[in-house]
Amino acid sequence: MNSKQPSTKKRKRIPRKSGCLGQLFFLLIGLLLGGAGLHVYQNGFDQSLVEWKALFEQEKKPIERNPSTGGRVVDAVKMDLRPLYLQDERWAPTIEQGEQGVVLFELALHDHYEVKGDPFLFRSRMSDASGLMNEALATLRAMREEYEDKPNSVIEIDKKIRRYSSSLEEFGKDVR
């Protein structure tokens, strides 16, 4: 009677650890349900139901067909055919700024040598004008690098660069 009884050792189970993806999944589900609940709370159940149905059931627009050919009718879109440098939103403000600098230079020279002769006003206007023109030149040079493979744009940008840089050299070197 001394027979061996099979031992029933219980294996210890290793507890499962939840991974970060599982936790992230439950977090996202909780956030979505919380947001949906808040939406229902703020807008009411009926309005929320209508809005959620509209998300999944979109009305399709009927395709217009040409009766003579049966093909689709396509609306023409107006194209901007101006050169690229004119389409750039930096062009108009830069040119306006540069021209203001040139006008301010001329006004400072006229007031100083022909009208008042105030050296402080003259120096102030000259520094303002050179600041405006230097900013315009910096923007124009950046545009020139951007459009260097477009010959028409480069020609027009170079014209403005020469105009403002020559004005700076002409008015700025002898007058300090």
Side-chain angles (χ1 to χ4, degrees):
M1 302 252 181
N2 213 356
S3 71
K4 285 191 171 181
Q5 295 269 341
S7 65
T8 56
K9 285 187 176 178
K10 290 188 176 180
R11 287 187 174 176
K12 288 186 177 180
R13 283 188 149 187
I14 301 172
R16 285 188 167 181
K17 295 180 181 177
S18 62
C20 66
L21 289 178
Q23 291 174 354
L24 182 64
F25 175 73
F26 282 113
L27 176 68
L28 289 176
I29 294 298
L31 287 174
L32 287 174
L33 289 175
L38 182 63
H39 184 74
V40 169
Y41 177 73
Q42 288 180 345
N43 297 324
F45 181 76
D46 295 333
Q47 179 66 30
S48 297
L49 191 60
V50 168
E51 290 174 1
W52 286 334
K53 281 183 181 179
L55 282 175
F56 298 108
E57 299 171 1
Q58 295 178 353
E59 294 182 22
K60 294 182 181 178
K61 291 183 180 178
I63 298 175
E64 294 183 39
R65 300 275 179 195
N66 188 344
S68 62
T69 62
R72 278 179 74 171
V73 175
V74 180
D75 293 331
V77 176
K78 185 128 177 123
M79 290 180 58
D80 190 0
L81 299 176
R82 298 178 300 162
L84 285 178
Y85 70 95
L86 289 177
Q87 293 178 21
D88 194 335
E89 67 240 7
R90 298 173 291 179
W91 177 258
T94 302
I95 297 305
E96 184 178 322
Q97 186 177 20
E99 293 302 321
Q100 284 177 353
V102 171
V103 168
L104 198 56
F105 265 142
E106 292 169 355
L107 179 66
L109 289 172
H110 178 267
D111 283 353
H112 182 66
Y113 290 113
E114 295 180 17
V115 180
K116 298 174 189 171
D118 184 5
F120 299 110
L121 178 64
F122 176 70
R123 180 167 288 185
S124 171
R125 282 187 180 164
M126 292 301 279
S127 68
D128 290 344
S130 64
L132 286 171
M133 292 177 64
N134 283 326
E135 288 177 24
L137 282 171
T139 306
L140 286 170
R141 287 182 181 125
M143 287 176 64
R144 187 183 192 293
E145 288 178 15
E146 188 175 324
Y147 297 121
E148 66 186 352
D149 56 339
K150 310 284 188 266
N152 293 339
S153 299
V154 168
I155 290 171
E156 293 301 319
I157 291 170
D158 281 344
K159 284 181 186 177
K160 293 299 181 181
I161 288 175
R162 280 192 303 273
R163 172 169 166 72
Y164 302 142
S165 60
S166 67
S167 292
L168 275 173
E169 289 172 7
E170 178 185 341
F171 296 132
K173 70 178 173 182
D174 293 332
V175 184
R176 295 255 182 234

